Amino acid sequence: MSDALRITDTFPGFSRDEWVAAVEKALKGKPVSRLTTKTVDGLEVEPMYHRAKGKEPLAMRADNTPWAVAQRVDNPDVAKANKQALDDLKNGSNMLVVPFAGSAAARGYGIAADKDAIAKALDGVMLDVVSLRLEGAGQAAFVEFVEAKGAAPAGLCLSFGFDPLGNFASTGGVATGWAAELAETIRGLQDKGFKGPFITVDGRPYHDAGASDSQELGAVVATIITYVKALEENGFDTAEAFGLIDVTLSVSADQFGSLSKLRAMRKLWANLLDAAGVEFKALSLHAETSFAMTTRLDPWVNTLRVSTAGFAAGVGGANSVCILPHAIALGLPNALGRRIVRNLQIMLIEESNLYRVTDPAAGSGYVEDLTDQYGNAAWALFQEIFAAGGIDAALKSGLVQEAIAKSSEVRNALIAKRKEALTGSSAFPNILEGETAVDEAERTELAAAPAGESCEPLKVFRYSMPFEALRDAAKAAGEPTVFFAQIGKIAEFTARATWAKNFFEAGGIKSLSDQNFLETGEIGAAFKASGAKIACLVASDARYEEMGEEVAKELKEAGVEMLWLAGRPADIMEKLSAAGVEAYCFEGCDVLGELQNIHARLGIAQA
């Protein structure tokens, strides 16, 4: 290679101390630690990292093997479900996920737990070629279907998806003798020739309820051990019990957080096997994009979210990945939605060739540190749950629910202040958006909790729901408006007006902002002509100082019921408030709380 092409000569390296000095100079002498942030459960994320030393790539998928591209077979109309499944398989998918009606994973839809319904939904599917995952309580009917079809059980790549403890977390109930029943069922399936895995430890109920990444991992690890102990008590040896289990985790638009979570799960699994004295065996890890992060508003933005999440799952080493279509929060996704998410995975595999590099994030200071922090925090939670008697006991006592509630509260506060922006919902809302097409299908309620032990069920909470409630209420109230009293030349206030427009329209309050004023006298009349009940002053701080008080008085005299000001001009806020300004909207304010206050003042009823 020519010396002219050596990057180390062209771009000489710099030490960490030199980087720190450069950053502190940009911060005008303030320490770099000022830029340190925290996850919702308090783990620290530094602003700069150096390469991690002594870190080797983790064992993930088999070398040079792509992950399985999964699609859900969830349309209650089994004829439509079959057509979709065959289309998916014809065009690149190689795994089908079958959520049964009434299960939390079905999201209100799913296939009936009936042999004939399953047969119609999977008609024409070559069971010995396609990988299958079952979700919910329909395994017995599926076995009847396999036997009627004459398929050889040993030749199937099938995850049965038994998860009574995950169902316990979702529904709040589990049969008292669940452990003995589970062990007996697995023995019966093994006798028939099925090879499993039979148990899926599902992190989604915890994630969807607001758990942090490390809490999801901690709950999963605790559940694995609870299952292993239960199987040991019912005749299985430890090594065999571990071999019956696979894991499902959620992945979100937090790219590095999600891939670090999957890497941490690999390490935690290895730690469990080591602690149990069991020879290492690879974990089968399934990833599904987060339902909690999806939005009903401007749902096309979900395509960007799931693209990032799918990338993280592939790079993070998932064995199989299911990307939820963009309209999943609205209803049953149609053919276009399914095609988009299927093609996303195909592009990541075939065009980006992500699977050809084993653990590409290995050695990254950021990723390795986050992986270790997630693993340590998850292990600590697991030990706390283990000391409480296992995941079932911890759910009954409320230990898990309380931990999740704390993290959820922190996240909700960040979202309320738009420090974690939800594009299309809390930020850059498209208040004039039209309808998004979904397939028509009747929704099914979550199945009733089994009789026996009980706990407070974990409730699914999508992050954008509070903003969606405001938009729905505003729409039902006839789409209220806010008059923008824009003072000065357009270039002076454009950035602030754009921010304020996003602020109000995130609550469904349309901004009337097509005028600007260079002097007083006409603003009050313009407000009256607008038909709005509330108004917002929008200008530069200099204009506020020059004209703010006079404009505020003019608007109040014109009948403004509530007068806002965009910005926070600290030196003159007292004078502006005395002139009639009642509230201020600015970067970092409680956007959700302020919008809820506006709704209350306008008498908009909340659903």
Side-chain angles (χ1 to χ4, degrees):
M1 179 189 294
S2 167
D3 288 342
L5 298 178
R6 294 186 185 279
I7 194 168
T8 53
D9 295 333
T10 308
F11 300 100
F14 293 92
S15 69
R16 179 177 176 80
D17 289 343
E18 288 172 311
W19 276 109
V20 169
V23 173
E24 290 181 342
K25 181 179 179 181
L27 293 174
K28 298 181 180 178
K30 294 179 181 178
V32 176
S33 59
R34 187 169 182 267
L35 300 178
T36 296
T37 58
K38 291 186 177 182
T39 66
V40 294
D41 50 359
L43 305 182
E44 291 193 348
V45 178
E46 297 178 19
M48 292 196 317
Y49 290 87
H50 56 273
R51 180 171 179 78
K53 296 181 180 179
K55 297 289 188 178
E56 298 293 332
L58 299 180
M60 294 185 173
R61 296 180 297 270
D63 287 347
N64 213 32
T65 302
W67 62 88
V69 178
Q71 283 274 50
R72 291 159 56 91
V73 185
D74 54 359
N75 196 315
D77 183 329
V78 290
K80 288 184 177 179
N82 177 249
K83 181 179 179 181
Q84 290 172 341
L86 295 178
D87 186 58
D88 292 333
L89 295 173
K90 177 183 177 181
N91 289 286
S93 296
N94 53 8
M95 173 181 280
L96 296 177
V97 179
V98 183
F100 292 107
S103 66
R107 312 291 182 196
Y109 301 103
I111 303 300
D114 174 81
K115 179 191 71 174
D116 293 335
I118 296 169
K120 291 176 182 177
L122 298 182
D123 185 34
V125 175
M126 301 175 68
L127 300 183
D128 57 344
V129 175
V130 175
S131 297
L132 294 161
R133 295 186 63 85
L134 308 182
E135 297 180 338
Q139 292 87 350
F142 192 89
V143 170
E144 291 181 31
F145 155 67
V146 171
E147 291 175 337
K149 194 173 179 67
L156 302 183
C157 183
L158 170 63
S159 172
F160 273 87
F162 290 111
D163 189 18
L165 294 177
N167 189 57
F168 185 33
S170 295
T171 65
V174 67
T176 303
W178 67 265
E181 182 181 344
L182 178 62
E184 182 181 356
T185 300
I186 292 173
R187 283 294 190 209
L189 291 170
Q190 289 177 325
D191 291 342
K192 291 177 180 290
F194 292 99
K195 59 184 182 181
F198 298 99
I199 298 171
T200 292
V201 179
D202 194 348
R204 290 174 298 177
Y206 306 97
H207 173 87
D208 288 349
S212 67
D213 288 329
S214 60
Q215 287 172 339
E216 182 183 356
L217 290 172
V220 164
V221 172
T223 305
I224 290 172
I225 290 302
T226 303
Y227 279 139
V228 169
K229 287 171 62 66
L231 292 173
E232 287 176 334
E233 292 169 1
N234 286 278
F236 289 85
D237 67 45
T238 305
E240 184 181 12
F242 275 105
L244 302 176
I245 295 170
D246 65 16
V247 167
T248 295
L249 294 176
S250 289
V251 284
S252 73
D254 179 357
Q255 176 181 306
F256 291 102
S258 291
L259 70 89
S260 297
K261 177 168 67 175
L262 268 59
R263 295 179 83 252
M265 186 66 243
R266 297 283 184 190
K267 288 190 171 187
L268 289 164
W269 174 258
N271 287 347
L272 289 176
L273 295 178
D274 184 62
V278 173
E279 183 179 350
F280 179 80
K281 57 183 68 180
L283 170 67
S284 179
L285 183 55
H286 178 67
E288 182 179 272
T289 57
S290 167
F291 180 73
M293 75 173 177
T294 59
T295 64
R296 283 198 298 109
L297 299 172
D298 207 355
W300 292 102
V301 181
N302 290 326
T303 305
L304 302 178
R305 296 184 179 103
V306 300
S307 296
T308 304
F311 175 91
V315 172
N319 297 94
S320 54
V321 179
C322 180
I323 295 182
L324 297 179
H326 70 280
I328 188 72
L330 286 167
L332 197 62
N334 60 13
L336 176 61
R338 298 175 70 89
R339 177 185 176 188
I340 290 171
V341 296
R342 181 179 66 236
N343 286 347
L344 279 175
Q345 293 209 55
I346 293 171
M347 287 189 290
L348 290 173
I349 291 172
E350 302 295 344
E351 295 186 23
S352 300
N353 286 287
L354 292 185
Y355 71 94
R356 296 190 183 278
V357 181
T358 300
D359 196 12
S364 160
Y366 176 28
V367 172
E368 295 288 6
D369 180 69
L370 204 54
T371 298
D372 290 344
Q373 285 202 73
Y374 279 173
N376 292 336
W379 194 263
L381 178 58
F382 152 60
Q383 290 178 314
E384 188 177 355
I385 293 172
F386 185 77
I391 189 68
D392 47 350
L395 284 167
K396 285 189 287 185
S397 70
L399 185 157
V400 173
Q401 293 89 331
E402 289 173 12
I404 292 174
K406 290 178 181 178
S407 291
S408 186
E409 184 179 357
V410 174
R411 180 187 294 104
N412 291 342
L414 293 172
I415 291 171
K417 294 181 178 181
R418 293 206 299 207
K419 291 185 177 180
E420 284 192 11
L422 304 174
T423 303
S425 296
S426 70
F428 303 104
N430 179 9
I431 200 168
L432 300 177
E433 68 175 304
E435 298 294 323
T436 299
V438 293
D439 274 359
E440 295 295 329
E442 186 175 343
R443 294 185 66 88
T444 303
E445 295 295 324
L446 184 66
E453 305 294 330
S454 63
C455 74
E456 181 65 29
L458 296 173
K459 301 289 179 62
V460 175
F461 181 80
R462 290 182 299 101
Y463 308 146
S464 60
M465 287 172 66
F467 286 95
E468 291 169 356
L470 289 173
R471 290 275 292 276
D472 289 344
K475 186 175 182 179
E479 299 179 337
T481 57
V482 55
F483 174 79
F484 273 21
Q486 299 175 147
I487 310 168
K489 297 178 181 179
I490 294 175
E492 295 175 8
F493 60 73
T494 297
R496 187 164 271 174
T498 300
W499 190 95
K501 182 178 187 293
N502 288 332
F503 170 84
F504 285 101
E505 295 193 350
I509 303 166
K510 184 179 179 182
S511 65
L512 304 178
S513 55
D514 58 350
Q515 292 178 276
N516 67 299
F517 305 90
L518 295 173
E519 55 186 36
T520 58
E522 299 178 355
I523 301 176
F527 167 75
K528 288 181 179 180
S530 73
K533 293 182 178 181
I534 61 176
C536 181
L537 272 66
V538 182
S540 65
D541 283 3
R543 289 285 188 179
Y544 285 146
E545 189 164 2
E546 176 189 349
M547 301 172 59
E549 290 179 81
E550 193 174 349
V551 173
K553 291 176 182 178
E554 183 178 347
L555 286 168
K556 293 299 287 186
E557 290 173 1
V560 170
E561 293 183 12
M562 188 176 190
L563 181 58
W564 283 77
L565 184 142
R568 186 166 50 170
D571 294 340
I572 56 172
M573 284 175 67
E574 187 174 341
K575 291 192 296 183
L576 290 169
S577 296
V581 175
E582 298 179 56
Y584 299 81
C585 54
F586 51 87
E587 188 68 39
C589 73
D590 183 355
V591 174
L592 180 62
E594 297 293 358
L595 290 172
Q596 289 170 337
N597 182 37
I598 295 173
H599 275 230
R601 288 285 297 271
L602 292 176
I604 299 175
Q606 303 297 302

